[in-house]
Each structure stands twice: as structure tokens, then as C-alpha cells.
Amino acid sequence: MNVKRHYILLLFIVLAAVCHAQADRQFIREGNKLYRQKQYAQAEICYRKAVASNANNPQAVYNLGCALMMQQKDSAAVVQYEKAAKMETNKMRLSKSYHNIGVICQNHQMYGEAIQAYQQSLRNNPSDNETRYNLALCKKKQKQQDQNKQNNKDKQQEKKQEDKDKQNQQQQKDKEKQQQQSPDQQMSKENAEQLLNAAIQNEKATQQRMKKALQQPKRRTSEKNW
């Protein structure tokens, strides 16, 4: 009796697993149908149900990434592609996950990350000419990007040096101007003091002359009778 119960219990477990597997495949089929109709949001819902039913189904995870990517939910799509890549054993499907990661990174001008993804894709599918073309294009774009960054850096350094040179030139001009003005200002001060001293001396001389003139007696001229 215990043996029969064991077999019955085991049979229930197997049937539950089969139903569980059928559920995620059914959700994937429904999602694929919606995806082909370009109803990506509805397809995303179906793929999420498939993942909820079987989180270890790489096809469901990969398709979810595709639905997210078509809705421009790029960050979320990359997460799903990376998950699919970790559990995928088929090299052809594995290469597609890395290829799509490369496409997203390329669209965001993240050429270094795109190059790594495309290289990983080619390791799993060396005959993929589209991936090889994208890889070559990203290498070219990265070189241009690096050159532009270097040019901008050089321009910034040149601008900084020009501003520094202008500042030094202005400081030198101000210094020379100050040096030129100082003797004039000093001479003007000396001239003012000389003029003031001369005026004081003249004033003293005038006062002395007036004092001397006042001290001399006045003589009256006598008139003669003829």
C-alpha cells in the first residue's frame, strides 16, 4: 500500500511538472503571436507569465528581453538578455543574446561595451556576418569617439593656456602702467611742494618788504617861495 501511494504521489509530481512546462510554453506561443503583430506590451505580459511559470526557461527570458527592447526599455532588456545568456546552452541562441546586447549598447554610443558583446556573440557563432559588421563599425566609431575626446581635451588645455597667457599679459601691462605712472605722480608731488615753498618764500619776502617800508620815516617836501 505504501508503495502504491509512493507511485501515485510520484505520478502527481510528474503530471504537475508537465502541466507547469506546458503553461510556460503556452504563454510563449501567445507572446510570440502578439510579438509578430507588433503588440509588444501585450507580448511582454505573456512572456512575464511564462517566466513566472518557469524562471529557468531561457527562451521565455530571451523573448521578454526582445519585447522590452522593442518598447525601448533598453536597460531592462539588457538585464533579461544577460539572464538568458547565463542559462542558455545552445550556442546559436546564446549568440543572439549577446548580439542584442551589442545592438543596445551601440545605439547608446557605448562602443566599448558593444564591442565586448559582439565579440562574445561571434565566439558562439563565428559565421554571423551581421555581428561581424557591427563589430567593425563599433571599433571605427570608438576610435573616432576617442579622437574627439582627445581633441576636446587638447582644445580645453589650449583654451586654459590662452586664458593664462592673457591674464599674465594683462598683469604685466598693469605693472608697466603702474611703473610708468609712479615717477609722474612723484614728480607732480615734488613740483607741488616746490611751488608751495616758492609761494611761501614769496609771501615772506613781500611781508618783509612791506614791513621795511612801513618802518622808514616819511619826509614832507617843503615849498619854496620865489
Side-chain angles (χ1 to χ4, degrees):
M1 187 66 180
N2 292 334
V3 175
K4 290 182 179 179
R5 286 180 179 177
H6 178 74
Y7 283 139
I8 292 172
L9 179 61
L10 181 61
L11 179 62
F12 285 156
I13 293 174
V14 172
L15 289 174
V18 171
C19 293
H20 195 66
Q22 290 177 346
D24 64 340
R25 286 198 293 268
Q26 179 63 31
F27 286 131
I28 290 173
R29 285 194 292 269
E30 292 176 4
N32 290 345
K33 182 178 179 180
L34 293 167
Y35 187 92
R36 286 191 293 269
Q37 295 173 356
K38 298 183 179 180
Q39 299 181 30
Y40 303 118
Q42 290 78 4
E44 176 190 346
I45 294 173
C46 290
Y47 293 141
R48 288 191 181 279
K49 288 180 179 180
V51 172
S53 179
N54 183 8
N56 294 321
N57 188 328
Q59 184 181 355
V61 178
Y62 172 83
N63 288 3
L64 175 58
C66 292
L68 292 168
M69 182 178 176
M70 297 307 295
Q71 297 176 78
Q72 297 182 344
K73 300 176 180 179
D74 292 340
S75 298
V78 169
V79 172
Q80 299 304 319
Y81 287 138
E82 289 176 343
K83 287 182 179 179
K86 289 179 180 179
M87 64 180 70
E88 185 60 74
T89 57
N90 183 290
K91 286 193 172 185
M92 296 296 291
R93 290 197 295 264
L94 180 58
S95 69
K96 291 181 180 179
S97 293
Y98 285 114
H99 175 89
N100 287 352
I101 292 174
V103 170
I104 291 174
C105 293
Q106 183 177 354
N107 290 338
H108 288 275
Q109 298 182 357
M110 299 166 59
Y111 299 117
E113 292 82 353
I115 289 171
Q116 293 178 3
Y118 287 140
Q119 288 174 339
Q120 191 66 26
S121 178
L122 286 173
R123 290 189 185 99
N124 292 278
N125 183 15
S127 62
D128 190 341
N129 291 328
E130 183 181 355
T131 300
R132 183 171 288 102
Y133 173 81
N134 288 356
L135 174 61
L137 182 61
C138 282
K139 287 182 177 180
K140 182 179 179 181
K141 291 289 187 180
Q142 186 185 43
K143 187 176 180 180
Q144 293 175 351
Q145 190 180 64
D146 292 341
Q147 186 62 46
N148 290 336
K149 287 181 179 179
Q150 185 62 41
N151 291 339
N152 291 334
K153 185 177 180 180
D154 293 341
K155 288 180 180 179
Q156 290 177 355
Q157 290 179 346
E158 290 177 1
K159 179 71 166 52
K160 187 176 180 180
Q161 186 62 41
E162 287 178 0
D163 293 341
K164 186 176 180 180
D165 292 341
K166 288 180 180 179
Q167 184 178 4
N168 291 337
Q169 290 176 1
Q170 185 62 41
Q171 289 177 351
Q172 184 64 27
K173 287 181 180 179
D174 294 341
K175 186 176 180 180
E176 292 176 354
K177 186 177 180 181
Q178 185 178 5
Q179 290 175 349
Q180 291 174 357
Q181 289 178 349
S182 295
D184 295 338
Q185 292 176 353
Q186 190 172 5
M187 288 177 64
S188 299
K189 185 177 180 180
E190 291 176 354
N191 290 339
E193 289 178 353
Q194 291 176 358
L195 292 174
L196 180 60
N197 291 333
I200 293 173
Q201 294 297 329
N202 290 334
E203 180 67 22
K204 288 181 178 180
T206 301
Q207 289 179 358
Q208 288 178 356
R209 287 197 299 270
M210 291 179 63
K211 185 176 180 181
K212 187 181 289 185
L214 291 172
Q215 290 177 351
Q216 291 179 357
K218 294 183 180 180
R219 296 180 180 179
R220 296 183 61 182
T221 304
S222 60
E223 295 181 356
K224 293 182 178 181
N225 294 325
W226 297 97

